[in-house]
């Protein structure tokens, strides 16, 4: 498990602002948190080097890309052995429909968030890419009606 990094209020403000808009310039960030642009750049670089900031992503609207139906697939793999699950995870990650893959505890081994064109596309995906695999024992599908982003993610606050 990774060690936590000690963050001061300026670091926390920078992280909050960058999570809301990662394209904010260092000049604008510096003005909003009350430090010089060079100090802002140094702090952000330190946060990257410490592994707090992992990267920047472009967020796309799946519906605008022809993938208007999203679902969560609960997948049970049997037997649950490393030599089977490694290739399974790599195959699922390589699918253009896969958005996120989670390895879970409990009766289901994986939760896969997918975006597809429609119900027929979802059925094709489940039958051709999941249940056709020997190691997949069961797949349950949950349609997503709506989703909300949360955050920003900041460290837990100390309780007095």
């Amino acid at each position: 498990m990774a060690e936590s990094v000690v963050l001061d209020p300026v670091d926390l403000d920078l992280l909050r602002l960058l999570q809301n808009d990662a394209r904010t310039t260092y000049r604008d960030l510096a003005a909003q948190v009350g430090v010089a642009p060079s100090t802002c750049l140094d702090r952000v670089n330190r946060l990257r080097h410490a592994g707090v900031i992992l990267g920047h992503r472009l967020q796309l609207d799946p519906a605008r890309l022809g993938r208007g139906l999203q679902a969560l697939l609960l997948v049970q793999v049997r037997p649950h052995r490393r030599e089977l699950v490694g290739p399974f995870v790599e195959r699922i990650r390589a699918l253009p429909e896969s958005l996120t893959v989670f390895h879970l505890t409990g009766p289901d081994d994986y939760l896969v968030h997918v975006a597809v064109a429609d119900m027929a596309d979802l059925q094709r995906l489940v039958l051709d890419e999941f249940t056709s695999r020997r190691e997949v024992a069961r797949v349950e599908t949950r349609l997503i009606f709506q989703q909300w982003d949360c955050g920003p993610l900041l460290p837990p606050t100390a309780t007095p």
Side-chain angles (χ1 to χ4, degrees):
M1 184 174 189
E3 292 183 30
S4 358
V5 175
V6 177
L7 304 170
D8 67 19
V10 173
D11 293 331
L12 294 173
D13 284 345
L14 287 170
L15 292 173
R16 180 181 45 77
L17 291 166
L18 286 170
Q19 285 184 84
N20 289 329
D21 184 0
R23 296 181 308 162
T24 305
T25 65
Y26 289 115
R27 177 190 227 174
D28 290 341
L29 284 172
Q32 291 181 59
V33 300
V35 298
S38 60
T39 301
C40 181
L41 176 62
D42 289 344
R43 282 177 172 263
V44 171
N45 284 337
R46 182 180 52 81
L47 292 167
R48 278 193 190 104
H49 183 71
V52 175
I53 297 175
L54 299 176
H56 305 276
R57 292 187 185 172
L58 181 65
Q59 187 173 0
L60 303 175
D61 182 346
R64 301 255 181 190
L65 297 173
R67 296 181 185 277
L69 181 65
Q70 292 186 49
L72 299 173
L73 306 179
L74 291 159
V75 183
Q76 191 177 75
V77 174
R78 293 294 176 257
H80 194 156
R81 293 194 323 253
R82 188 174 302 277
E83 63 270 12
L84 291 176
V85 299
F88 169 77
V89 169
E90 290 312 309
R91 173 67 187 134
I92 299 311
R93 289 183 65 210
L95 294 172
E97 299 88 353
S98 295
L99 299 175
T100 311
V101 180
F102 297 93
H103 192 190
L104 307 173
T105 62
D108 298 304
D109 300 311
Y110 295 93
L111 175 67
V112 184
H113 180 189
V114 298
V116 294
D118 52 30
M119 288 297 284
D121 197 24
L122 179 60
Q123 181 181 26
R124 176 207 51 81
L125 178 70
V126 170
L127 293 175
D128 294 349
E129 300 295 344
F130 286 86
T131 60
S132 66
R133 296 186 63 92
R134 253 182 289 137
E135 68 274 23
V136 173
R138 183 177 57 81
V139 176
E140 285 186 32
T141 304
R142 304 285 189 268
L143 297 180
I144 298 174
F145 290 136
Q146 196 168 1
Q147 129 185 18
W148 296 268
D149 288 330
C150 301
L153 176 66
L154 295 173
T157 56
T159 54

